[in-house]
Amino acid sequence: FFNLFTLITLYFKIRKVQPDKILVFTIKINILVSLICYFSEYKLINNITGLGSSMINSKFMKLIVVTLLKFSLKKSSMIFFQNNDDKNFFIENNIVNENKTKVIRYFGVNINKYKYSPLPDRDKGLTFIYFGRLIKDKGIFELVDAIKIVKKTYPETIFKIVGDIDYNNPGYIKKELINEWKNKKLFELNKFQIDISKFIQTSDCVILPSYREGLPKSILESLSIGRPAIVTNVPGCRDLIIDNFNGLICEPKSAKNLSIKILQYINLNKKVRNKMSINARNSVIKDFNSDNIILEYINIIRSI
């Protein structure tokens, strides 16, 4: 009923505005707006920013979503993807025409806002940070189990989690469980922050053990500041990290392998960590500068 109400609301807003072109983001809104535009002459530009929890966890929901996408995206003028895995998934499942697709790196990151900051000068008591929604698909359970393993060897290691529970997501982590972990002093818990820069600057490494991403903005911002990242070998994450260059890559859904990578980073000498930090910054300047990406995005839209 909520989706039906949203569909009707969007229909009347679009009809009132009479836009020249419509740009839509996220799977649900892509489907709803595309359905509205199916019987109109609006130029529709779809942005696939990730496949969402339903595509990961439920075969039934995946079937429904794929069916709706196949129908609704037929009239799209252009479909932007954030990574090649998502693009290939849509092409292989005959959801879209390859000629109407383009991989573009989201909107990149503002390298002037997220300026380079050298790693903290310390040999032990390293600080690792995760920031994002507290849901299962972000790999929170694996992260907590990995923390337990790491602290057995290096109890002085600090872990910080910054973010809120997403109660709208079926995989949200219960507050009681989070408080239980916190009370055991496994990590420091901080609420959602509008500006995460200071947290990143005081950390030595960022962790994102996600099950799947579009192109994680959290990692882009961290790399721009010069923080190596430990991420899972999944779409989106592996598009940003080169193993042992600007971060480390671990196996998805494996607390043991994640702990191995965290221990590996702890045992790197300071010179190697500093080199990895510089590589992180340079990788963003080279491939993910928002000025270049937004200009490319605008030029493509103008050509449609």
Side-chain angles (χ1 to χ4, degrees):
F1 285 109
F2 176 77
N3 289 332
L4 180 60
F5 174 78
T6 304
L7 181 70
I8 294 169
T9 303
L10 286 168
Y11 169 76
F12 283 108
K13 284 186 181 294
I14 291 171
R15 189 175 176 181
K16 181 181 178 181
V17 174
Q18 291 292 307
D20 297 303
K21 296 170 186 177
I22 302 175
L23 284 68
V24 287
F25 299 80
T26 76
I27 286 292
K28 182 185 290 185
I29 301 301
N30 266 287
I31 291 173
L32 295 179
V33 175
S34 297
L35 289 172
I36 293 169
C37 295
Y38 191 85
F39 301 102
S40 71
E41 298 302 318
Y42 296 118
K43 290 184 177 179
L44 180 64
I45 298 162
N46 298 89
N47 295 267
I48 307 300
T49 55
L51 298 184
S53 300
S54 60
M55 302 289 270
I56 299 172
N57 300 321
S58 170
K59 290 183 179 180
F60 177 68
M61 281 302 299
K62 180 178 176 180
L63 177 62
I64 292 175
V65 171
V66 167
T67 303
L68 286 170
L69 285 169
K70 278 184 179 180
F71 175 77
S72 61
L73 295 181
K74 283 183 178 180
K75 291 260 183 117
S76 180
S77 299
M78 174 61 68
I79 302 151
F80 288 111
F81 294 89
Q82 293 186 356
N83 62 66
N84 283 303
D85 289 279
D86 288 352
K87 176 185 173 181
N88 293 335
F89 174 85
F90 274 62
I91 294 171
E92 290 165 6
N93 285 275
N94 299 313
I95 299 173
V96 297
N97 184 330
E98 186 174 2
N99 295 329
K100 290 184 176 182
T101 64
K102 173 76 175 176
V103 172
I104 198 161
R105 301 305 190 183
Y106 194 44
F107 296 125
V109 64
N110 185 337
I111 61 174
N112 295 314
K113 178 180 178 181
Y114 296 96
K115 296 179 180 180
Y116 179 75
S117 174
L119 287 173
D121 186 15
R122 54 189 166 216
D123 295 310
K124 60 180 182 179
L126 269 58
T127 297
F128 294 82
I129 182 174
Y130 162 87
F131 58 99
R133 293 178 295 159
L134 304 183
I135 59 174
K136 178 185 176 183
D137 293 346
K138 294 296 183 182
I140 300 298
F141 286 105
E142 289 81 6
L143 175 58
V144 171
D145 287 342
I147 291 172
K148 292 176 182 177
I149 296 170
V150 171
K151 278 188 170 289
K152 288 179 180 178
T153 308
Y154 296 99
E156 72 278 10
T157 305
I158 297 171
F159 292 90
K160 294 182 180 181
I161 290 181
V162 182
D164 293 337
I165 302 169
D166 182 1
Y167 289 103
N168 293 319
N169 189 291
Y172 76 88
I173 312 294
K174 291 183 179 179
K175 186 176 181 179
E176 295 78 9
L177 185 55
I178 292 172
N179 287 334
E180 179 184 329
W181 291 333
K182 181 185 174 185
N183 292 336
K184 290 180 179 179
K185 301 187 184 303
L186 294 174
F187 51 77
E188 297 177 12
L189 181 64
N190 298 272
K191 291 186 177 181
F192 167 80
Q193 305 287 318
I194 294 176
D195 186 358
I196 197 71
S197 298
K198 290 183 179 179
F199 281 89
I200 298 173
Q201 289 168 4
T202 58
S203 70
D204 295 275
C205 183
V206 176
I207 301 177
L208 180 60
S210 179
Y211 296 174
R212 190 180 184 111
E213 294 285 330
L215 201 71
K217 192 84 170 183
S218 61
I219 300 303
L220 276 173
E221 292 170 356
S222 302
L223 294 175
S224 184
I225 290 174
R227 292 302 171 269
I230 299 174
V231 303
T232 40
N233 186 18
V234 297
C237 291
R238 59 177 171 235
D239 289 72
L240 299 179
I241 299 300
I242 300 173
D243 200 29
N244 290 300
F245 176 76
N246 59 351
L248 300 173
I249 296 179
C250 67
E251 297 172 8
K253 301 183 180 182
S254 172
K256 182 178 180 181
N257 192 250
L258 176 58
S259 69
I260 290 171
K261 295 297 180 176
I262 296 172
L263 291 169
Q264 179 183 338
Y265 188 84
I266 291 172
N267 288 310
L268 291 174
N269 67 55
K270 193 183 296 184
K271 184 177 179 180
V272 174
R273 288 203 301 267
N274 287 333
K275 178 61 177 174
M276 200 175 278
S277 169
I278 294 169
N279 290 342
R281 172 67 175 180
N282 289 339
S283 66
V284 169
I285 293 173
K286 179 177 179 289
D287 295 320
F288 300 100
N289 185 339
S290 60
D291 290 344
N292 299 334
I293 294 174
I294 291 172
L295 181 61
E296 180 187 3
Y297 188 84
I298 290 173
N299 287 337
I300 294 172
I301 291 171
R302 284 175 176 166
S303 69
I304 296 172

